[in-house]
Amino acid sequence: MPKPDEMAFYQPEKLLEPRALPEGGWMDKPAEFRPGTFIWPGKPKNLNYVGFPNAREWSPVDEDWKLPENWKRIIFDGIRER
């Protein structure tokens, strides 16, 4: 069985099939994290090498992403800098 990171996982005929839009507003639906819908985070050793802050082992499917207490401030400051 192919995995989401392999081309054989994706079937062109299924990708082109139209799908019905979900009812209700899109903001009312919780995000669904399942394999194949996200990119895996980098390994801490690689993130440290390029100087990324808060390098650690984690997964998008984890309940706790182990973000620093001031993660919102970090995001806003980063946007302001750019």
Side-chain angles (χ1 to χ4, degrees):
M1 177 65 82
K3 297 179 182 167
D5 62 343
E6 299 172 351
M7 286 302 295
F9 179 83
Y10 301 97
Q11 301 167 359
E13 61 279 355
K14 284 197 173 187
L15 292 174
L16 295 173
E17 287 178 5
R19 292 182 276 170
L21 296 174
E23 293 186 24
W26 65 273
M27 290 291 290
D28 301 330
K29 308 276 190 239
E32 182 182 349
F33 289 105
R34 63 189 191 310
T37 62
F38 54 83
I39 297 173
W40 288 95
K43 299 281 183 199
K45 68 175 186 166
N46 299 331
L47 298 175
N48 282 326
Y49 182 79
V50 295
F52 276 39
N54 198 30
R56 75 241 181 261
E57 287 287 339
W58 72 284
S59 169
V61 295
D62 291 345
E63 190 70 30
D64 178 12
W65 284 2
K66 303 172 190 153
L67 296 172
E69 287 292 321
N70 63 337
W71 68 269
K72 286 184 183 179
R73 175 59 36 210
I74 293 169
I75 297 293
F76 290 142
D77 289 347
I79 292 170
R80 186 177 299 114
E81 286 174 16
R82 284 152 186 85

